[in-house]
Amino acid sequence: MSTPHFDYLDRLEAEAIHILREVAGQFERPALLFSGGKDSIVLTRLAEKAFRPGRFPFPLVHVDTGHNFPEVLKFRDSLAAELGEKLIVRSVEDTIKRQRLREPGGKFPSRNPLQTYTLLETIEEFQFDACIGGARRDEEKARAKERIFSVRDEFGQWDPKRQRPELWNVYNGRIQRGENVRVFPISNWTELDVWRYIQRENIPLPSIYFGHPRTCVVLPSGQLLGLNEHLRLDETDEIVERQVRFRTVGDSTCTAAVESDAATIDDIIEDLLSAKVSERGATRLDDNISEAGMEDRKRNGYF
Amino acid sequence: MDLLRFITCGSVDDGKSTLIGRLLYDSDSVSLDVLAALENRPTVHGTVDLALLTDGLRAEREQGITIDVAYKYFTTPRRKFIITDAPGHVQYTRNMVTGASTADLAIVLVDARQGVVEQTRRHSLIASLVGIRHFVLAVNKMDLVGNDEAVFDQIVADYAAVADQLKLPQVTAIPISALLGDNIVARSKNLGWYTGPSLLEHLESVPAFEEASIAEPRFQVQFVIRPQTDDYPDYRGYAGRIQSGEYRRGDRVHILPSGQESVIEAIEVDQQEVESAAAPQAVIIRLADDVDISRGDSIVPVGSQIHVAKELEATICWMDERPLWPGRKLLVQHHSSVVKAVVSAITYKVNVRTFGRAATESAQLNDIVGIRLKTASPLVVDSYQQNRATGAFILVDELSGDTLAAGMVDAMQNSFVPEPLGFTI
């Protein structure tokens, strides 16, 4: 028998579809966490491959911090409508009011840590037993340690020392009441893999991924932050007009832009191949707080 | 471009994390910001500690050891690599099994000053048990033994005895220094007497994925797709992944364990009908007949030598702190199929030093033992020797949900191989 050739993207895709279908088969109330960023957009494409002509066996869920890029929210809504799938949005704003949480302070007030509260509330509200996310192991060293099926306790906490062994492609999603499983179907993909897949599948993306002129604040680190109404600027802050794009899409208060003329996905891939700085290193303001920043947040229930 | 998954194994301080750090660093796969973070850390030798690239947990950095499996990625123009960095400590053997279960190749690291030690044997045993085909004996820290060829030759000879006992199919020995980068990406003048490939050259040229495509066709249903919409009122598709071999439209198939027969009416990939599909593709299969099929059932061509069994003999690695005693009731998860089972006997324990078998009453954490298993409903299995996909299972605690063991089917008792019904549909 001749051996058909599958390249690495075919294999990563097959693995991810298999994982999505295991979620559908093993859980009663799963959800797909959908931010409108490239990784979760790829997840929706994979879900189409896994479940069409049927509907997705889970809703799309977005935890909206209130600091999102408007272009991304618009894209989120239009994609959900186009897919004909249910979109649930829960807002950090509401959680802050309800739980009387303190708004973040500082010049660049990141609501990122507060997302965890809203996520856990949402999980409880809908009794989600599995939450699918687009996190990748190449993003950060603590994520490199996480299983594809990551069991969290009723507080959403991750305990890296008590992870289940994950053998072959047999995924054990058995949990007790109150626990949930975070599932990462594209764990084994890198940033470049995601872009090559977007290229191959011709997947539409929000406009902020492509080079565009934007008014930016220059941070002390030299990073550029798009000017927005949530920032608390000083008179000495340098405001510049630059041609930029975003490598990752988080909150507008903690996601830096990179200078780029890239107009197409091919250009972006060219950019990436010569990039010397990692995705999170280039763009995220919140991981650099401490060496174990991500690990600590994950322990507390962060995605 | 294809994909190779490999695992690094060896004893603590043999330099596994340094080796991976070196592979990433020398293949230009480490970003400047990640390096800068490392350079900010004080080190013993005054140089960047490449091991810190993989030890991602706070406790690992504090203790300077690898506790859990980490996955790292790099790409060369020839291949994409997924590295599984598994811990060397004896108490984390279960994590080593976890890492090895998905690997195509194992790099067994040996410290040139220590030679073959107990952990070398233990890890080689585990890697061979889980069916890894390609082995690299990487003799590390050659710089600390004066790059002496005789030291290398002696270790290769010692390991040949291990390879012989375990019947390892292919072993390539390479002298290296992970710390200095000798023979990692490029061949080093320091080891001029060595004429073979560098580690990376070897990793780039090893053939990947032979097994799954030559094995008999196997497919297990993960999810039944029934849209029940106006466009698709009667659609029933069986979604799953081809575990091995190739399926074609028109194949006569058995649905197991029930034994019903039907014909493949269509194979769909991304909503397109295709003539054939092969492992590891995720597909939807539609059948010509309205048969009763649910998650966990297998669809295999008529004439397959697959077994339907309720009694199994298996080798397991016990991964729970509480020991296993005969009579224990638990769950067997065989991919998408979960059935209740009882461990009716523990037949032997493998001595990881001698590879010999001895009688045992129980299995303790990290033990590798033979068991007999009776299941409440039939499983559709091959021996692990025959098929790495359909011969593997895990044992699960019914109450806590914990994964208790990795299991590999050795033999089936009182099983049957489904026969064709003897008429044409």
Side-chain angles (χ1 to χ4, degrees), chain B residues 324-328 330 341-346 371-374 395:
Chain B
L324 169 70
W325 295 90
R328 171 83 181 261
L330 31 65
V342 60
V343 175
S344 52
I346 302 177
I371 59 166
R372 270 202 289 270
L373 202 57
K374 275 189 185 158
L395 299 179

Side-chain angles (χ1 to χ4, degrees), chain B residues 116 120-121 124 128 135 137 156-172 355:
Chain B
V116 172
T120 320
R121 297 175 65 85
S124 301
S128 88
F135 285 77
L137 175 69
V156 172
D158 290 347
Y159 193 75
V162 176
D164 195 45
Q165 269 183 297
L166 292 175
K167 301 187 179 65
L168 302 185
Q170 197 216 16
V171 182
T172 303
F355 306 148

Side-chain angles (χ1 to χ4, degrees), chain A residues 7-8 14-15 18 21-22 45 144-145 163-164 166 168 171-172 188 193 276 278 281 291 295-296, chain B residues 1 5 32-33 41 58 60 68 71 73 80 98 101 222 240 270 280 283 295 333 336 384 401 403:
Chain A
D7 82 354
Y8 76 102
E15 181 182 73
H18 173 249
R21 287 171 172 170
E22 278 305 290
R45 180 77 191 94
K145 294 276 174 180
Q163 298 199 86
R164 283 180 184 164
E166 198 156 82
W168 298 284
Y171 301 104
N172 173 7
N188 286 325
D193 298 335
K276 287 288 174 205
S278 75
E291 189 167 14
E295 181 182 342
D296 292 343
Chain B
M1 191 161 48
R5 294 177 195 243
L32 291 180
D33 56 311
R41 290 179 58 91
R58 187 194 287 279
E60 293 178 323
D68 203 347
Y71 299 89
Y73 308 86
K80 177 183 165 84
T98 298
S101 69
Q222 290 184 271
D270 192 20
V283 300
R295 175 174 158 84
Q333 185 178 348
S336 305
Y384 194 77
T403 299

Side-chain angles (χ1 to χ4, degrees), chain B residues 51-121:
Chain B
L52 293 173
L53 284 173
T54 58
D55 289 338
L57 299 176
R58 187 194 287 279
E60 293 178 323
R61 291 188 294 273
E62 283 165 4
Q63 297 172 40
I65 56 162
T66 308
I67 292 172
D68 203 347
V69 182
Y71 299 89
K72 290 282 165 188
Y73 308 86
F74 73 104
T75 305
T76 67
R78 303 268 303 271
R79 209 163 238 185
K80 177 183 165 84
F81 295 96
I82 299 180
I83 315 174
T84 307
D85 179 21
H89 274 263
V90 178
Q91 67 262 43
Y92 299 122
T93 298
R94 60 180 179 183
N95 290 339
M96 155 78 199
V97 176
T98 298
S101 69
T102 54
D104 309 302
L105 176 147
I107 299 177
V108 179
L109 230 72
V110 172
D111 183 331
R113 298 166 304 173
Q114 311 288 330
V116 172
V117 295
E118 186 179 326
Q119 276 299 74
T120 320
R121 297 175 65 85

Side-chain angles (χ1 to χ4, degrees), chain B residues 327-346:
Chain B
R328 171 83 181 261
K329 291 199 170 81
L330 31 65
L331 298 173
V332 175
Q333 185 178 348
H334 180 245
H335 297 274
S336 305
S337 164
V338 180
V339 302
K340 289 193 185 205
V342 60
V343 175
S344 52
I346 302 177

